[in-house]
Amino acid sequence: MSKSELLDFCRKLYADKGVGTFSYPSLKSIPKLYTQLYQNNLGQKTLLNELGIAEEYKRHMQSQTYHYGDTQRQRWSWDLIVERASAIKNSEGLLPPALWFQK
């Protein structure tokens, strides 16, 4: 496939399945697609930039949970950190020391 054909194919994937389809496991699950992308110098970051969805993909990945051992955890974005810290500051009157957070 040519680069333009790959980009067209990926645009169709995006329209059909959304931005989550550009995660590494999803790309690898489509036979020969990942190899074709790299042969045309379209790594994941480059592909996302070419399609104009890099920021959307970043927000999508930040919203996804991940597994840590046997637990499922939420990713912490800078916005989430500021939101939680602001709530603690409002309830405590100031940001407590690190030991308070550790407890």
Side-chain angles (χ1 to χ4, degrees):
M1 272 198 221
S2 71
K3 185 175 181 176
S4 62
E5 290 173 329
L6 281 168
L7 289 172
D8 289 341
F9 179 78
C10 289
R11 284 185 188 98
K12 183 170 175 9
L13 275 177
Y14 175 68
D16 292 345
K17 298 182 180 182
V19 74
T21 197
F22 296 105
S23 69
Y24 176 76
S26 294
L27 289 174
K28 286 292 280 183
S29 70
I30 301 169
K32 299 183 183 179
L33 177 62
Y34 203 73
T35 304
Q36 289 285 325
L37 289 170
Y38 267 92
Q39 286 175 349
N40 284 279
N41 296 317
L42 288 171
Q44 185 189 42
K45 287 182 183 180
T46 306
L47 176 63
L48 294 170
N49 286 327
E50 288 277 338
L51 296 174
I53 58 172
E55 284 300 314
E56 182 182 355
Y57 181 77
K58 182 179 175 183
R59 286 190 304 275
H60 168 76
M61 290 307 293
Q62 287 174 343
S63 71
Q64 299 300 301
T65 58
Y66 66 97
H67 294 282
Y68 182 79
D70 293 333
T71 62
Q72 204 170 18
R73 296 186 177 184
Q74 178 67 41
R75 295 182 193 280
W76 284 75
S77 66
W78 184 250
D79 294 334
L80 182 59
I81 292 168
V82 170
E83 178 186 319
R84 297 278 175 92
S86 296
I88 292 168
K89 179 188 166 279
N90 291 338
S91 68
E92 299 294 318
L94 54 94
L95 273 179
L99 185 59
W100 184 90
F101 285 97
Q102 289 173 344
K103 289 181 180 179

XYZ file of all heavy atoms in Angstrom:
851
model
N 0.839 -1.183 0.000
C 0.000 0.000 0.000
C 0.883 1.245 0.000
O 1.918 1.272 0.648
C -0.853 0.047 1.275
C -2.141 -0.651 1.218
S -3.172 -0.040 2.563
C -3.910 -1.523 3.113
N 0.425 2.270 -0.662
C 1.154 3.539 -0.655
C 0.802 4.307 0.626
O -0.145 3.963 1.343
C 0.782 4.365 -1.878
O -0.540 4.841 -1.759
N 1.555 5.349 0.871
C 1.325 6.160 2.067
C -0.075 6.769 2.058
O -0.777 6.750 3.071
C 2.394 7.254 2.160
C 2.328 8.060 3.414
C 3.491 9.030 3.491
C 3.437 9.837 4.759
N 4.597 10.722 4.904
N -0.497 7.280 0.913
C -1.828 7.896 0.836
C -2.935 6.855 1.026
O -3.960 7.146 1.652
C -2.012 8.649 -0.475
O -1.928 7.771 -1.565
N -2.735 5.646 0.511
C -3.721 4.578 0.706
C -3.798 4.188 2.187
O -4.892 3.945 2.706
C -3.363 3.352 -0.134
C -3.548 3.547 -1.622
C -3.020 2.379 -2.439
O -2.048 1.725 -1.999
O -3.592 2.130 -3.520
N -2.633 4.128 2.838
C -2.621 3.809 4.265
C -3.345 4.880 5.072
O -4.114 4.569 5.985
C -1.184 3.663 4.776
C -0.506 2.346 4.465
C 0.981 2.432 4.762
C -1.140 1.225 5.264
N -3.092 6.136 4.745
C -3.767 7.224 5.456
C -5.276 7.178 5.231
O -6.053 7.382 6.174
C -3.186 8.571 5.040
C -1.780 8.866 5.550
C -1.218 10.125 4.916
C -1.755 8.975 7.062
N -5.694 6.879 4.011
C -7.124 6.739 3.729
C -7.730 5.582 4.530
O -8.827 5.703 5.086
C -7.376 6.525 2.237
C -7.127 7.775 1.410
O -7.119 8.887 1.994
O -6.929 7.642 0.189
N -7.004 4.458 4.569
C -7.457 3.304 5.340
C -7.593 3.669 6.814
O -8.581 3.315 7.468
C -6.487 2.130 5.153
C -6.871 0.909 5.927
C -7.881 0.079 5.478
C -6.221 0.589 7.117
C -8.246 -1.052 6.190
C -6.570 -0.542 7.831
C -7.591 -1.359 7.374
N -6.608 4.400 7.339
C -6.631 4.785 8.750
C -7.734 5.803 9.035
O -8.333 5.779 10.110
C -5.269 5.317 9.177
S -4.026 4.008 9.279
N -8.026 6.666 8.094
C -9.151 7.598 8.259
C -10.467 6.829 8.353
O -11.345 7.170 9.144
C -9.200 8.595 7.102
C -8.167 9.677 7.197
C -8.314 10.731 6.096
N -7.192 11.627 6.133
C -6.117 11.529 5.346
N -6.037 10.580 4.428
N -5.121 12.394 5.460
N -10.587 5.790 7.552
C -11.790 4.956 7.612
C -11.865 4.225 8.954
O -12.932 4.141 9.555
C -11.815 3.965 6.459
C -13.082 3.126 6.417
C -13.186 2.333 5.158
C -14.346 1.389 5.084
N -15.359 1.422 6.084
N -10.725 3.712 9.419
C -10.691 3.071 10.735
C -11.155 4.039 11.814
O -11.930 3.687 12.703
C -9.271 2.611 11.082
C -8.800 1.272 10.575
C -7.345 1.049 10.979
C -9.657 0.155 11.112
N -10.655 5.255 11.757
C -11.017 6.276 12.729
C -12.515 6.561 12.678
O -13.177 6.650 13.716
C -10.214 7.546 12.464
C -10.598 8.712 13.328
C -10.338 8.696 14.696
C -11.212 9.827 12.788
C -10.688 9.770 15.493
C -11.563 10.905 13.574
C -11.304 10.868 14.934
O -11.655 11.937 15.718
N -13.061 6.681 11.474
C -14.496 6.943 11.321
C -15.338 5.789 11.853
O -16.389 5.999 12.470
C -14.819 7.209 9.855
N -14.865 4.558 11.630
C -15.624 3.374 12.044
C -15.474 3.037 13.519
O -16.446 2.686 14.182
C -15.200 2.151 11.223
C -15.593 2.252 9.767
O -16.438 3.115 9.435
O -15.046 1.485 8.958
N -14.240 3.135 14.046
C -13.968 2.611 15.387
C -13.504 3.647 16.396
O -13.360 3.342 17.565
C -12.935 1.499 15.294
C -13.411 0.321 14.473
C -12.404 -0.781 14.444
C -12.912 -1.939 13.602
N -11.973 -3.050 13.587
N -13.200 4.859 15.941
C -12.781 5.900 16.872
C -11.284 5.920 17.105
O -10.519 5.116 16.558
N -10.873 6.832 17.951
C -9.457 7.089 18.172
C -8.753 5.942 18.907
O -7.554 5.742 18.761
C -9.269 8.437 18.904
C -9.662 8.337 20.373
C -7.865 8.955 18.753
N -9.480 5.161 19.665
C -8.890 4.049 20.417
C -8.273 2.976 19.537
O -7.431 2.200 19.992
N -8.656 2.951 18.283
C -8.123 1.939 17.367
C -6.658 2.179 17.029
O -6.015 1.318 16.439
C -8.978 1.864 16.089
O -8.692 0.649 15.413
C -8.705 3.013 15.162
N -6.099 3.323 17.417
C -4.709 3.622 17.104
C -3.750 3.293 18.246
O -2.590 3.677 18.217
C -4.567 5.074 16.661
C -5.306 5.330 15.385
C -6.503 6.017 15.386
C -4.834 4.830 14.188
C -7.209 6.223 14.216
C -5.529 5.028 13.009
C -6.723 5.729 13.027
N -4.233 2.560 19.240
C -3.324 2.068 20.276
C -2.458 0.963 19.665
O -2.839 0.346 18.664
C -4.108 1.524 21.469
O -4.791 0.337 21.111
N -1.320 0.739 20.249
C -0.392 -0.267 19.721
C -1.062 -1.644 19.589
O -0.990 -2.254 18.517
C 0.862 -0.333 20.597
C 1.823 -1.407 20.183
C 2.633 -1.252 19.063
C 1.923 -2.597 20.902
C 3.510 -2.235 18.670
C 2.804 -3.592 20.511
C 3.594 -3.405 19.399
O 4.454 -4.385 19.013
N -1.743 -2.162 20.640
C -2.369 -3.488 20.480
C -3.415 -3.536 19.366
O -3.504 -4.528 18.642
C -3.011 -3.754 21.845
C -2.286 -2.876 22.798
C -1.889 -1.659 22.017
N -4.175 -2.448 19.214
C -5.194 -2.434 18.159
C -4.565 -2.417 16.773
O -5.017 -3.108 15.866
C -6.106 -1.217 18.310
O -6.853 -1.325 19.492
N -3.512 -1.606 16.615
C -2.832 -1.575 15.316
C -2.201 -2.921 14.985
O -2.238 -3.371 13.847
C -1.764 -0.475 15.300
C -2.266 0.966 15.284
C -1.094 1.924 15.415
C -3.059 1.255 14.032
N -1.606 -3.568 16.001
C -0.970 -4.875 15.774
C -1.998 -5.961 15.469
O -1.664 -6.963 14.827
C -0.145 -5.296 16.990
C 1.163 -4.555 17.161
C 2.152 -4.878 16.089
C 2.838 -6.187 16.345
N 3.851 -6.516 15.373
N -3.237 -5.774 15.907
C -4.247 -6.822 15.694
C -4.751 -6.868 14.250
O -5.369 -7.842 13.851
C -5.427 -6.619 16.651
O -6.172 -5.474 16.277
N -4.499 -5.826 13.486
C -4.912 -5.801 12.083
C -3.750 -6.361 11.260
O -2.671 -5.777 11.236
C -5.264 -4.375 11.628
C -6.391 -3.831 12.507
C -5.657 -4.356 10.155
C -6.649 -2.361 12.326
N -3.945 -7.509 10.622
C -2.835 -8.170 9.925
C -2.089 -7.251 8.958
O -2.701 -6.569 8.137
C -3.520 -9.316 9.174
C -4.783 -9.564 9.927
C -5.194 -8.225 10.472
N -0.778 -7.231 9.104
C 0.171 -6.530 8.236
C 0.087 -4.997 8.276
O 0.902 -4.327 7.651
C 0.049 -7.000 6.786
C 0.344 -8.476 6.614
C 0.274 -8.871 5.169
C 0.512 -10.380 5.047
N 0.435 -10.825 3.673
N -0.866 -4.434 9.003
C -1.007 -2.977 9.009
C 0.189 -2.303 9.660
O 0.747 -1.349 9.119
C -2.295 -2.548 9.719
C -2.489 -1.034 9.847
C -2.575 -0.381 8.463
C -3.724 -0.714 10.662
N 0.599 -2.786 10.812
C 1.695 -2.150 11.543
C 2.976 -2.157 10.715
O 3.687 -1.159 10.638
C 1.888 -2.880 12.880
C 2.559 -2.043 13.916
C 1.876 -0.995 14.526
C 3.863 -2.285 14.300
C 2.479 -0.216 15.490
C 4.483 -1.516 15.265
C 3.779 -0.483 15.858
O 4.384 0.289 16.812
N 3.254 -3.272 10.054
C 4.440 -3.381 9.199
C 4.349 -2.396 8.037
O 5.323 -1.710 7.722
C 4.568 -4.817 8.661
O 4.588 -5.722 9.761
C 5.813 -4.996 7.835
N 3.180 -2.328 7.415
C 2.976 -1.401 6.302
C 3.176 0.050 6.740
O 3.774 0.846 6.016
C 1.572 -1.566 5.714
C 1.349 -2.840 4.960
C 2.025 -2.802 3.602
O 2.093 -1.773 2.956
N 2.540 -3.937 3.178
N 2.667 0.381 7.921
C 2.825 1.745 8.425
C 4.297 2.099 8.586
O 4.742 3.161 8.156
C 2.080 1.915 9.749
C 0.552 1.921 9.660
C -0.069 1.839 11.045
C 0.058 3.150 8.924
N 5.051 1.206 9.199
C 6.469 1.490 9.423
C 7.284 1.494 8.137
O 8.243 2.241 8.006
C 7.064 0.530 10.463
C 6.979 1.148 11.832
C 5.891 0.917 12.652
C 7.966 2.021 12.277
C 5.799 1.510 13.889
C 7.878 2.622 13.509
C 6.797 2.365 14.313
O 6.695 2.977 15.535
N 6.908 0.683 7.182
C 7.600 0.701 5.896
C 7.384 2.032 5.174
O 8.188 2.423 4.336
C 7.131 -0.457 5.018
C 7.666 -1.796 5.468
C 7.093 -2.957 4.673
O 6.145 -2.799 3.907
N 7.667 -4.136 4.858
N 6.308 2.713 5.513
C 6.011 4.015 4.913
C 6.320 5.168 5.875
O 5.786 6.271 5.720
C 4.543 4.069 4.485
C 4.297 3.281 3.228
O 4.555 3.766 2.144
N 3.818 2.051 3.371
N 7.173 4.902 6.863
C 7.582 5.914 7.848
C 6.395 6.543 8.573
O 6.355 7.746 8.795
C 8.440 7.004 7.194
C 9.734 6.441 6.666
O 10.372 5.629 7.334
N 10.113 6.849 5.470
N 5.425 5.727 8.916
C 4.260 6.192 9.648
C 4.180 5.481 10.995
O 3.334 4.617 11.213
C 2.972 5.944 8.845
C 2.746 6.827 7.630
C 1.568 6.321 6.812
C 2.522 8.262 8.051
N 5.095 5.836 11.880
C 5.000 5.326 13.246
C 3.733 5.874 13.883
O 3.050 6.749 13.325
N 3.414 5.406 15.057
C 2.165 5.801 15.698
C 2.056 7.322 15.864
O 1.042 7.921 15.511
C 2.028 5.113 17.060
C 0.705 5.389 17.730
C 0.667 4.889 19.153
O 1.632 5.044 19.886
N -0.440 4.279 19.530
N 3.092 7.967 16.385
C 3.039 9.424 16.590
C 2.899 10.167 15.267
O 2.105 11.100 15.152
C 4.289 9.907 17.325
C 4.307 9.526 18.772
C 5.542 10.063 19.464
C 5.566 9.605 20.898
N 6.740 10.097 21.627
N 3.659 9.745 14.280
C 3.582 10.383 12.968
C 2.199 10.194 12.364
O 1.617 11.131 11.805
C 4.649 9.805 12.026
O 5.923 9.909 12.654
C 4.672 10.514 10.694
N 1.665 8.993 12.478
C 0.338 8.695 11.949
C -0.721 9.580 12.596
O -1.556 10.171 11.911
C 0.001 7.218 12.163
C -1.395 6.757 11.753
C -1.590 6.929 10.252
C -1.619 5.317 12.175
N -0.670 9.683 13.919
C -1.645 10.505 14.628
C -1.550 11.970 14.207
O -2.566 12.645 14.044
C -1.462 10.364 16.133
C -1.778 8.974 16.711
C -1.340 8.887 18.157
C -3.241 8.632 16.556
N -0.328 12.449 14.019
C -0.143 13.831 13.563
C -0.648 14.014 12.135
O -1.275 15.025 11.824
C 1.329 14.243 13.670
C 1.736 14.497 15.099
O 0.953 14.952 15.913
N 2.976 14.187 15.412
N -0.368 13.051 11.267
C -0.835 13.126 9.873
C -2.360 13.163 9.800
O -2.928 13.847 8.957
C -0.325 11.928 9.066
C 1.146 11.954 8.755
C 1.481 12.794 7.537
O 0.604 13.028 6.697
O 2.645 13.216 7.448
N -3.009 12.414 10.694
C -4.472 12.366 10.706
C -5.075 13.545 11.462
O -6.291 13.758 11.413
C -4.955 11.049 11.331
C -4.592 9.770 10.579
C -5.012 8.547 11.381
C -5.218 9.745 9.206
N -4.242 14.280 12.196
C -4.723 15.440 12.951
C -5.465 15.076 14.217
O -6.315 15.842 14.683
N -5.153 13.913 14.794
C -5.874 13.468 15.991
C -4.940 13.182 17.162
O -5.326 12.486 18.103
C -6.727 12.219 15.679
C -5.862 11.071 15.152
C -7.846 12.551 14.706
C -6.603 9.756 15.010
N -3.756 13.750 17.152
C -2.777 13.483 18.207
C -3.293 13.926 19.576
O -3.182 13.183 20.562
C -1.448 14.150 17.892
N -3.871 15.111 19.657
C -4.389 15.606 20.946
C -5.580 14.790 21.418
O -5.712 14.504 22.600
C -4.755 17.088 20.843
C -3.553 18.003 20.846
C -2.713 17.878 22.110
O -3.274 17.864 23.223
O -1.481 17.774 21.982
N -6.437 14.413 20.492
C -7.595 13.584 20.851
C -7.125 12.233 21.391
O -7.664 11.727 22.369
C -8.503 13.380 19.646
C -9.743 12.564 19.953
C -10.623 12.321 18.747
O -10.334 12.864 17.658
O -11.603 11.580 18.894
N -6.113 11.651 20.750
C -5.579 10.368 21.212
C -4.973 10.519 22.602
O -5.163 9.657 23.468
C -4.540 9.841 20.225
C -3.967 8.514 20.632
C -4.689 7.340 20.441
C -2.715 8.421 21.218
C -4.178 6.110 20.825
C -2.196 7.203 21.608
C -2.930 6.050 21.407
O -2.424 4.840 21.802
N -4.254 11.609 22.833
C -3.650 11.856 24.146
C -4.730 11.933 25.228
O -4.605 11.309 26.290
C -2.842 13.149 24.101
C -2.129 13.481 25.368
C -1.334 14.763 25.198
C -0.699 15.189 26.499
N 0.017 16.455 26.372
N -5.801 12.685 24.967
C -6.906 12.787 25.931
C -7.567 11.426 26.138
O -7.921 11.067 27.260
C -7.937 13.810 25.461
C -7.493 15.244 25.607
C -8.630 16.216 25.363
N -9.280 16.051 24.069
C -8.865 16.601 22.939
N -7.795 17.357 22.919
N -9.530 16.397 21.814
N -7.712 10.676 25.061
C -8.318 9.344 25.157
C -7.482 8.436 26.060
O -8.013 7.761 26.939
C -8.454 8.722 23.761
C -8.803 7.274 23.771
N -10.071 6.825 24.047
C -8.046 6.174 23.568
C -10.083 5.505 24.001
N -8.871 5.090 23.709
N -6.176 8.433 25.850
C -5.300 7.569 26.646
C -5.274 7.996 28.114
O -5.208 7.152 29.000
C -3.883 7.554 26.066
C -3.793 6.829 24.736
S -4.485 5.156 24.752
C -3.350 4.318 25.829
N -5.353 9.288 28.374
C -5.372 9.765 29.754
C -6.660 9.358 30.467
O -6.671 9.204 31.685
C -5.205 11.282 29.804
C -3.805 11.728 29.490
C -3.672 13.240 29.395
O -4.665 13.956 29.253
N -2.450 13.709 29.455
N -7.718 9.178 29.721
C -8.997 8.812 30.328
C -9.114 7.307 30.573
O -10.030 6.872 31.269
C -10.151 9.283 29.451
O -10.224 8.508 28.270
N -8.216 6.533 29.992
C -8.286 5.079 30.122
C -7.659 4.608 31.430
O -6.682 5.166 31.893
C -7.564 4.400 28.956
C -8.134 4.720 27.602
C -9.586 4.307 27.484
O -9.926 3.149 27.652
N -10.439 5.262 27.211
N -8.228 3.576 31.999
C -7.638 2.969 33.184
C -6.528 2.012 32.755
O -6.442 1.639 31.585
C -8.690 2.202 33.995
O -9.288 1.208 33.158
C -9.767 3.141 34.519
N -5.682 1.651 33.696
C -4.627 0.690 33.406
C -4.535 -0.300 34.562
O -5.034 -0.043 35.659
C -3.281 1.387 33.161
C -2.704 2.084 34.367
C -1.745 1.455 35.156
C -3.118 3.352 34.726
C -1.222 2.082 36.269
C -2.592 3.986 35.826
C -1.644 3.353 36.600
O -1.132 3.980 37.707
N -3.924 -1.431 34.300
C -3.787 -2.468 35.321
C -2.433 -2.353 36.005
O -1.405 -2.203 35.351
C -3.914 -3.860 34.696
C -5.284 -4.121 34.160
N -6.339 -4.442 34.962
C -5.779 -4.071 32.905
C -7.423 -4.598 34.228
N -7.111 -4.375 32.960
N -2.469 -2.389 37.320
C -1.251 -2.394 38.130
C -1.405 -3.549 39.093
O -2.171 -3.467 40.047
C -1.095 -1.067 38.870
C 0.166 -0.973 39.679
C 1.375 -0.690 39.068
C 0.154 -1.177 41.048
C 2.534 -0.616 39.795
C 1.310 -1.104 41.787
C 2.504 -0.808 41.163
O 3.662 -0.733 41.900
N -0.723 -4.642 38.783
C -0.926 -5.848 39.577
C -2.337 -6.351 39.356
O -2.777 -6.547 38.228
N -3.072 -6.519 40.456
C -4.455 -6.998 40.363
C -5.469 -5.867 40.388
O -6.670 -6.119 40.366
C -4.752 -7.952 41.527
C -3.951 -9.243 41.413
O -3.601 -9.620 40.281
O -3.680 -9.871 42.459
N -5.009 -4.635 40.462
C -5.936 -3.506 40.556
C -5.991 -2.739 39.245
O -5.054 -2.767 38.450
C -5.521 -2.532 41.681
O -4.237 -1.996 41.382
C -5.493 -3.223 43.018
N -7.082 -2.045 39.091
C -7.257 -1.189 37.928
C -7.176 0.255 38.414
O -7.835 0.625 39.383
C -8.612 -1.459 37.285
C -8.664 -1.102 35.845
C -9.940 -1.601 35.196
O -10.907 -1.907 35.855
N -9.937 -1.648 33.892
N -6.355 1.076 37.770
C -6.126 2.439 38.238
C -6.410 3.459 37.144
O -6.309 3.162 35.967
C -4.681 2.601 38.699
C -4.362 1.730 39.889
C -3.002 2.015 40.398
N -2.746 1.225 41.590
C -1.664 1.322 42.307
N -0.714 2.162 41.959
N -1.506 0.582 43.385
N -6.716 4.669 37.611
C -6.949 5.793 36.702
C -5.628 6.510 36.453
O -4.841 6.698 37.362
C -7.946 6.765 37.343
C -8.250 7.997 36.526
C -8.999 7.685 35.249
O -9.892 6.854 35.249
N -8.645 8.341 34.180
N -5.378 6.915 35.225
C -4.183 7.695 34.916
C -4.355 9.105 35.474
O -5.438 9.659 35.457
C -3.965 7.771 33.412
C -3.669 6.439 32.804
C -3.400 6.569 31.312
N -3.409 5.293 30.672
C -2.390 4.436 30.676
N -1.285 4.752 31.275
N -2.491 3.271 30.078
N -3.254 9.671 35.950
C -3.284 11.021 36.494
C -2.775 11.994 35.441
O -1.624 11.933 35.043
C -2.416 11.095 37.748
C -3.055 10.480 38.938
C -3.199 9.150 39.183
C -3.662 11.159 40.026
N -3.860 8.964 40.359
C -4.151 10.185 40.913
C -3.843 12.502 40.341
C -4.802 10.509 42.085
C -4.487 12.816 41.521
C -4.966 11.829 42.373
N -3.622 12.895 35.029
C -3.205 13.967 34.127
C -2.908 15.193 34.995
O -3.289 15.257 36.169
C -4.314 14.297 33.128
O -5.430 14.848 33.804
N -2.245 16.177 34.415
C -1.950 17.391 35.174
C -3.242 18.070 35.609
O -3.353 18.569 36.729
C -1.078 18.340 34.349
C -0.692 19.537 35.148
C -1.123 20.815 34.968
C 0.186 19.573 36.280
N -0.562 21.640 35.907
C 0.245 20.893 36.734
C 0.920 18.591 36.946
C 1.013 21.276 37.822
C 1.686 18.980 38.031
C 1.722 20.309 38.465
N -4.258 18.072 34.743
C -5.544 18.684 35.093
C -6.182 17.985 36.293
O -6.744 18.647 37.169
C -6.495 18.650 33.903
C -6.032 19.519 32.755
O -5.299 20.504 33.017
O -6.390 19.228 31.602
N -6.102 16.663 36.347
C -6.661 15.913 37.467
C -5.890 16.210 38.750
O -6.492 16.370 39.820
C -6.636 14.411 37.165
C -7.226 13.493 38.237
C -8.683 13.847 38.502
C -7.102 12.042 37.813
N -4.573 16.315 38.660
C -3.756 16.640 39.836
C -4.161 18.005 40.388
O -4.372 18.168 41.601
C -2.258 16.607 39.488
C -1.826 15.177 39.185
C -1.413 17.207 40.597
C -0.457 15.072 38.555
N -4.280 19.001 39.519
C -4.658 20.350 39.948
C -6.057 20.342 40.552
O -6.304 20.976 41.590
C -4.555 21.343 38.764
C -5.167 22.682 39.114
C -3.104 21.499 38.342
N -6.964 19.614 39.938
C -8.339 19.533 40.449
C -8.369 18.943 41.855
O -8.997 19.494 42.765
C -9.175 18.675 39.497
C -10.605 18.465 39.932
C -11.326 17.488 39.016
O -11.131 17.576 37.787
O -12.066 16.642 39.539
N -7.676 17.821 42.052
C -7.656 17.174 43.379
C -6.946 18.044 44.415
O -7.384 18.158 45.545
C -6.979 15.813 43.297
C -7.681 14.811 42.407
C -8.843 14.138 43.122
N -9.581 13.279 42.254
C -9.366 11.980 42.079
N -8.387 11.391 42.720
N -10.117 11.275 41.261
N -5.825 18.648 44.025
C -5.080 19.498 44.960
C -5.905 20.724 45.345
O -5.892 21.139 46.510
C -3.753 19.917 44.337
N -6.629 21.285 44.413
C -7.486 22.444 44.706
C -8.589 22.067 45.688
O -8.905 22.838 46.610
C -8.104 22.997 43.428
O -7.104 23.487 42.582
N -9.184 20.899 45.494
C -10.241 20.444 46.409
C -9.684 20.253 47.822
O -10.328 20.632 48.810
C -10.853 19.146 45.892
N -8.485 19.686 47.926
C -7.868 19.487 49.242
C -7.525 20.832 49.870
O -7.760 21.058 51.058
C -6.623 18.580 49.126
C -7.053 17.163 48.752
C -5.821 18.585 50.416
C -5.927 16.246 48.337
N -6.998 21.746 49.073
C -6.657 23.082 49.581
C -7.905 23.790 50.091
O -7.894 24.420 51.153
C -5.998 23.923 48.494
C -5.649 25.329 48.941
C -5.192 26.153 47.749
C -5.166 27.620 48.097
N -6.465 28.250 48.036
N -9.012 23.678 49.374
C -10.258 24.317 49.792
C -10.804 23.702 51.076
O -11.323 24.411 51.937
C -11.306 24.245 48.690
C -10.945 25.124 47.506
O -10.180 26.068 47.633
N -11.487 24.795 46.347
N -10.685 22.392 51.228
C -11.220 21.745 52.434
C -10.291 21.906 53.635
O -10.753 22.003 54.764
C -11.498 20.266 52.176
O -10.289 19.561 51.991
N -8.969 21.960 53.423
C -8.003 22.049 54.523
C -7.533 23.484 54.790
O -6.897 23.743 55.798
C -6.777 21.179 54.215
C -7.077 19.708 54.060
C -7.551 19.068 55.357
O -6.975 19.376 56.423
O -8.502 18.267 55.290
N -7.796 24.376 53.863
C -7.351 25.754 54.016
C -5.979 26.011 53.403
O -5.608 27.145 53.163
N -5.213 24.991 53.190
C -3.897 25.067 52.558
C -3.516 23.671 52.104
O -4.165 22.699 52.460
C -2.840 25.616 53.524
C -2.714 24.895 54.884
C -1.654 23.830 54.833
C -2.394 25.918 55.948
N -2.451 23.586 51.328
C -1.990 22.248 50.923
C -1.195 21.653 52.082
O -0.207 22.236 52.524
C -1.109 22.313 49.675
C -1.825 22.278 48.347
C -0.826 22.387 47.202
C -2.665 21.036 48.185
N -1.616 20.516 52.595
C -0.914 19.878 53.705
C 0.470 19.376 53.276
O 0.748 19.247 52.083
C -1.814 18.692 54.064
C -3.104 18.938 53.384
C -2.824 19.808 52.220
N 1.333 19.052 54.240
C 2.653 18.515 53.902
C 2.549 17.108 53.296
O 1.507 16.447 53.359
C 3.386 18.492 55.241
C 2.325 18.531 56.275
C 1.149 19.221 55.673
N 3.654 16.654 52.738
C 3.679 15.366 52.028
C 3.234 14.204 52.912
O 2.559 13.290 52.440
C 5.081 15.105 51.483
N 3.588 14.233 54.196
C 3.223 13.139 55.096
C 1.695 12.979 55.180
O 1.191 11.862 55.243
C 3.808 13.365 56.490
C 3.599 12.256 57.499
C 4.221 10.946 56.990
C 4.205 12.631 58.842
N 0.975 14.085 55.132
C -0.482 14.035 55.152
C -1.000 13.251 53.949
O -1.896 12.430 54.067
C -1.044 15.463 55.153
C -2.530 15.548 55.267
C -3.268 15.634 56.400
C -3.473 15.545 54.184
N -4.605 15.709 56.110
C -4.764 15.652 54.749
C -3.358 15.486 52.805
C -5.913 15.693 53.978
C -4.512 15.512 52.030
C -5.772 15.612 52.613
N -0.419 13.503 52.781
C -0.830 12.814 51.561
C -0.460 11.333 51.627
O -1.186 10.488 51.142
C -0.206 13.464 50.334
C -0.836 14.770 49.944
C -0.265 15.964 50.350
C -1.980 14.809 49.197
C -0.843 17.175 49.990
C -2.577 16.001 48.835
C -1.994 17.195 49.238
N 0.686 11.021 52.196
C 1.121 9.626 52.297
C 0.175 8.812 53.170
O -0.054 7.638 52.915
C 2.544 9.546 52.822
C 3.561 10.027 51.814
C 4.971 10.099 52.388
O 5.152 10.078 53.597
N 5.944 10.206 51.499
N -0.356 9.433 54.222
C -1.286 8.719 55.101
C -2.600 8.528 54.397
O -3.301 7.620 54.536
C -1.482 9.498 56.395
C -0.274 9.459 57.278
C -0.531 10.223 58.538
C 0.700 10.189 59.440
N 0.514 10.934 60.656
